[in-house]
Amino acid sequence: MPVVVFLVWLALLMPSLNFLVLILCLRSSLMCPEGCNCSAEIGVVRCTNRELREIPRDIPEDTSVLYLDSNHITSIPEGAFRELYKLRELYLSNNLIDSISPGAFRELGEDLKLLDLSNNQIRQVGREAFGKLRAKTRLYNNPWHCECSLQELIETLNLDPETLNNIMCDSSLEEEYAGQPFVHLLNSGINFCSIHQKTTDVAMLVTMFCWFTMVISYVVYYVRQNQEDTRRHLEYLKSLPSKPKNPAEVDAASTGL
């Protein structure tokens, strides 16, 4: 008897369930960014080659795979991927990205397995932009400026090993490093952070020398100015006419003699 009751209840409830599923699907499609294709069933959002200039703001929270590749995106602001805790793959390759804000990827969950930033215009980015991200990251084919910050980034991130040799130095503090794979330079024993420290020390030494020279110059100028003022004052005193003596004082002086 309870089984029959349950079946009757389920039959009555089915239209409501179907309606609820329809509402959820409709809501998911309404939340899909304009110009993108969203698959509610598997959580894939495709915005490839849509001429986007910025990260869409209405990405569904249940997105697991997000394609933003082959667009005109130039920057990634902080909080661009807020609340996308289920995201597992993020594709940002083939854009014009040259600016990544600190903490841009910090809010992504630990489920993120792949982050593709290849083929962009990134020259510099601090490791603080990635937070504690452990996703396999692709950074190749960017015009990197090879210095200490890039070395720290490579030591921090879980880079895709198949693309490591394609992280090239477009420019560097040392001209001979330009055009070479950054990882090869590191493997050859070059420490960009020590170079950076030496450069900083030299800059500080030059600054201190300039400051010391300025102080000495001011002291010399001050002494010379005082000497010149003193000389002028003495010349002025010498130029003053002598005070004539009183006749009474002259007679008293004569009498005394």
Side-chain angles (χ1 to χ4, degrees):
M1 185 67 179
V3 176
V4 176
V5 174
F6 174 75
L7 291 175
V8 173
W9 176 80
L10 187 60
L12 293 173
L13 192 63
M14 281 300 291
S16 300
L17 290 175
N18 291 334
F19 180 74
L20 181 60
V21 170
L22 181 62
I23 291 296
L24 291 175
C25 291
L26 227 85
R27 181 176 179 271
S28 178
S29 63
L30 289 174
M31 288 179 60
C32 190
E34 183 178 357
C36 301
N37 295 324
C38 298
S39 175
E41 296 179 0
I42 55 177
V44 176
V45 177
R46 295 183 180 274
C47 304
T48 301
N49 199 18
R50 300 294 180 175
E51 299 186 357
L52 300 177
R53 297 186 178 276
E54 59 183 18
I55 307 293
R57 298 182 181 180
D58 50 354
I59 302 171
E61 296 180 6
D62 59 349
T63 301
S64 59
V65 181
L66 178 58
Y67 291 92
L68 291 168
D69 53 308
S70 302
N71 284 290
H72 306 305
I73 299 170
T74 58
S75 64
I76 303 178
E78 187 168 356
F81 305 106
R82 185 181 290 115
E83 298 181 357
L84 297 181
Y85 304 115
K86 297 181 180 180
L87 199 60
R88 290 186 291 104
E89 298 177 13
L90 176 56
Y91 297 90
L92 287 160
S93 60
N94 296 294
N95 275 286
L96 303 172
I97 299 170
D98 59 8
S99 173
I100 300 178
S101 300
F105 303 107
R106 188 183 303 159
E107 297 181 2
L108 290 175
E110 297 180 356
D111 290 336
L112 190 70
K113 303 302 180 185
L114 176 63
L115 173 60
D116 192 351
L117 287 165
S118 61
N119 293 291
N120 278 285
Q121 298 298 318
I122 306 170
R123 291 182 54 81
Q124 292 176 306
V125 59
R127 57 183 176 180
E128 65 275 4
F130 298 87
K132 298 181 179 180
L133 207 65
R134 299 307 303 163
K136 183 181 291 186
T137 307
R138 298 171 182 170
L139 298 175
Y140 64 93
N141 288 351
N142 280 283
W144 289 107
H145 178 67
C146 293
E147 58 171 357
C148 182
S149 62
L150 181 57
Q151 179 175 328
E152 292 177 341
L153 190 65
I154 285 181
E155 292 172 350
T156 301
L157 295 179
N158 176 25
L159 296 178
D160 185 352
E162 297 179 0
T163 64
L164 273 176
N165 292 333
N166 293 324
I167 300 177
M168 308 291 291
C169 295
D170 185 71
S171 61
S172 176
L173 295 174
E174 303 293 335
E175 292 184 3
E176 62 267 25
Y177 298 154
Q180 298 191 44
F182 188 68
V183 175
H184 287 187
L185 295 173
L186 295 180
N187 292 337
S188 64
I190 297 172
N191 189 329
F192 284 83
C193 291
S194 65
I195 295 174
H196 175 75
Q197 184 62 45
K198 290 178 182 178
T199 305
T200 303
D201 292 342
V202 170
M204 185 176 296
L205 184 63
V206 171
T207 302
M208 292 180 64
F209 177 77
C210 293
W211 180 83
F212 182 74
T213 303
M214 183 180 66
V215 171
I216 294 299
S217 300
Y218 176 77
V219 171
V220 171
Y221 171 79
Y222 180 77
V223 170
R224 287 182 177 179
Q225 189 68 29
N226 281 348
Q227 289 177 343
E228 182 67 20
D229 291 343
T230 302
R231 185 184 63 80
R232 289 177 181 175
H233 184 67
L234 290 175
E235 290 179 354
Y236 171 74
L237 292 177
K238 290 179 181 179
S239 66
L240 294 175
S242 299
K243 182 180 179 181
K245 294 185 177 180
N246 193 321
E249 292 177 353
V250 174
D251 293 341
S254 300
T255 304
L257 293 173

